[in-house]
Amino acid sequence: MLYDELPQQIKELVSFHLNEAFQRLSLQKLVVGETCSLFLENSSAWDLQFANLGRIASGLQDLENETPSSQTKITLIDNLSGLVVLSCGACCPNPEMALPGAAALDLIFMAAGLFDDIQDQDKSNSLVAKVGIGQTLNIALTLLLLGQNLLTKTLAENLLGAEALELLNRLNHCLLVGIKGQMLDLQETQIPLQDRLENSDFHLLKTGLKAATIFSYLTELGATLGLKDHNHKFVSCYCQFGFAVGMVAQLIADLGDFLDSGKSDNRGRDLRNRMTTLPTTYAYQSLEPEIKRQTFLTLWQTVPIPLEEIVQLIKPTPAVSQTIGQITRYTVEAENFLRVVDPELEKVEHRSMLNLLYTFVGSLKGLFLQTGF
């Protein structure tokens, strides 16, 4: 088995991340530690573990009862891979079949996050900062292989061979698109700073490549499992919904970091590390007169970066409202794609998907209350 060839320390770290995967899938009713130990020792445990997930996880048995408590459970606010389950449940009466797929994508997403940390190395509390590149790489590859193996098994059990292969190829395509976005990060420093700050579309493109494309796979997978047909006309609607949610998620993350820049005790990581994001480009472009733009460019390239001075310079700009405008645009798009499938939003799963989205958007209010912007 894959784990047999791994050093004990790597096994322990992978076990830790498997714990996180199941906790994020709201499986607190399981004895998570024992479950992961079983996974590490017995390959047949995959079959045992996922046999009864539908009765254990997240109150999904209450889908037909739209009470506040059950609706809160099925939205899976803390885990966006829950979109796999919700989109599957919107298309069939058996959303439990999507739980292994959701777990698989959780593992793959964690691997992607570790790869991102290896490339950026800009977080003092990241795994790569604690155990080094080599061990982090081993853990990321292990999580990626586990996720792909579990997803392959899930698709083989629920779809015809050709459709299962097509969905696996779609995942690989989405991951490759994400790598293109990562490459843009690496190449960005070769583009003159002024050109980067004057091109907001570049940052929207990068967001689409890095975040939104993989989000589109969440709902594409769930809908295909539910409909048993990857070519069904509604699959593309769910896919586009996921893409729009991914754009919203990343733009809110960028805006949150931008707003945190105004707090002396919680400096924004993007500005501190000279990472240009959409709010930063909007702030730069709105600076008037031209001398203020030149001042910004000078401060940006000063070592160490004078964050307080930059914040005071960009704080009066409409960058926040412009970014919220983009977030609103993609939020409306997301709802419109769902309404193509369900014009009156009659299905509780669709309302739960929107509830997840709007709860996320609602977090913006908390950001404003916590920051000085």
Side-chain angles (χ1 to χ4, degrees):
M1 193 181 173
L2 178 65
Y3 280 106
D4 294 339
E5 301 176 7
L6 293 175
Q8 183 59 35
Q9 188 176 13
I10 299 297
K11 290 182 181 180
E12 292 173 358
L13 289 167
V14 171
S15 177
F16 170 79
H17 282 282
L18 283 170
N19 278 333
E20 281 197 346
F22 286 105
Q23 287 170 344
R24 290 174 61 191
L25 273 171
S26 300
L27 305 184
Q28 290 92 342
K29 295 181 183 178
L30 297 174
V31 182
V32 177
E34 293 181 6
T35 299
C36 292
S37 297
L38 186 62
F39 273 21
L40 298 180
E41 297 167 3
N42 183 359
S43 59
S44 65
W46 290 106
D47 299 325
L48 297 173
Q49 182 57 40
F50 287 106
N52 296 310
L53 281 186
R55 291 195 295 272
I56 298 172
S58 308
L60 287 167
Q61 67 273 19
D62 296 327
L63 276 174
E64 69 276 10
N65 301 318
E66 190 183 2
T67 63
S69 59
S70 64
Q71 186 176 9
T72 300
K73 291 177 182 177
I74 65 175
T75 54
L76 299 176
I77 294 298
D78 293 329
N79 179 20
L80 288 175
S81 61
L83 284 171
V84 180
V85 181
L86 289 171
S87 53
C88 178
C91 300
C92 77
N94 181 28
E96 294 91 343
M97 76 169 72
L99 279 166
L105 291 184
D106 228 16
L107 293 171
I108 291 170
F109 288 171
M110 280 192 284
L114 292 178
F115 287 130
D116 186 62
D117 287 342
I118 290 171
Q119 175 178 304
D120 296 341
Q121 296 190 45
D122 59 353
K123 301 175 186 174
S124 60
N125 62 344
S126 68
L127 185 64
V128 69
K130 295 177 180 178
V131 302
I133 293 176
Q135 286 196 3
T136 304
L137 183 60
N138 286 334
I139 294 166
L141 288 171
T142 302
L143 291 170
L144 180 62
L145 290 172
L146 280 172
Q148 288 185 328
N149 288 343
L150 178 55
L151 183 61
T152 300
K153 179 177 174 61
T154 302
L155 295 177
E157 290 176 349
N158 292 284
L159 298 173
L160 297 175
E163 291 209 322
L165 181 60
E166 186 176 358
L167 266 184
L168 285 174
N169 288 335
R170 279 284 301 140
L171 173 63
N172 290 333
H173 169 75
C174 290
L175 293 174
L176 286 172
V177 169
I179 290 172
K180 289 181 181 178
Q182 292 294 97
M183 292 299 295
L184 286 179
D185 275 348
L186 292 174
Q187 297 167 359
E188 192 171 320
T189 55
Q190 302 173 18
I191 303 172
L193 176 60
Q194 188 169 353
D195 291 345
R196 278 183 276 152
L197 291 169
E198 289 178 352
N199 189 353
S200 302
D201 289 342
F202 171 81
H203 297 282
L204 286 172
L205 169 65
K206 198 167 63 168
T207 298
L209 291 175
K210 292 177 62 178
T213 300
I214 197 65
F215 269 73
S216 72
Y217 188 78
L218 295 169
T219 42
E220 179 181 7
L221 173 63
T224 302
L225 287 172
L227 294 166
K228 303 290 187 182
D229 181 4
H230 187 244
N231 295 314
H232 192 285
K233 64 180 181 179
F234 285 157
V235 170
S236 64
C237 295
Y238 286 104
C239 184
Q240 289 170 307
F241 171 84
F243 185 90
V245 171
M247 291 296 293
V248 169
Q250 186 57 54
L251 290 177
I252 287 178
D254 289 345
L255 184 58
D257 190 273
F258 183 82
L259 290 169
D260 276 344
S261 303
K263 296 181 66 180
S264 59
D265 60 339
N266 189 15
R267 303 276 174 136
R269 185 169 58 92
D270 291 339
L271 280 180
R272 188 176 64 246
N273 292 301
R274 296 180 176 82
M275 296 168 58
T276 55
T277 59
L278 189 68
T280 312
T281 64
Y282 284 153
Y284 171 80
Q285 292 166 18
S286 62
L287 288 173
E288 294 290 348
E290 178 66 24
I291 187 63
K292 288 189 175 182
R293 293 190 182 188
Q294 294 303 317
T295 300
F296 181 92
L297 294 175
T298 300
L299 293 173
W300 187 271
Q301 297 172 87
T302 301
V303 180
I305 188 167
L307 195 59
E308 201 66 49
E309 293 180 55
I310 289 181
V311 168
Q312 292 306 313
L313 184 64
I314 64 178
K315 192 171 181 179
T317 69
V320 173
S321 61
Q322 288 176 288
T323 306
I324 290 176
Q326 290 290 354
I327 292 170
T328 302
R329 166 195 162 192
Y330 286 108
T331 301
V332 171
E333 282 188 10
E335 180 170 340
N336 288 341
F337 287 130
L338 273 192
R339 287 187 181 275
V340 172
V341 180
D342 183 1
E344 302 301 323
L345 298 177
E346 295 177 358
K347 293 187 175 182
V348 60
E349 295 87 356
H350 289 152
R351 294 194 293 275
S352 294
M353 291 165 75
L354 283 179
N355 183 48
L356 185 153
L357 174 63
Y358 286 120
T359 300
F360 200 34
V361 173
S363 67
L364 286 171
K365 180 178 180 181
L367 288 175
F368 287 118
L369 293 176
Q370 294 169 20
T371 62
F373 276 81

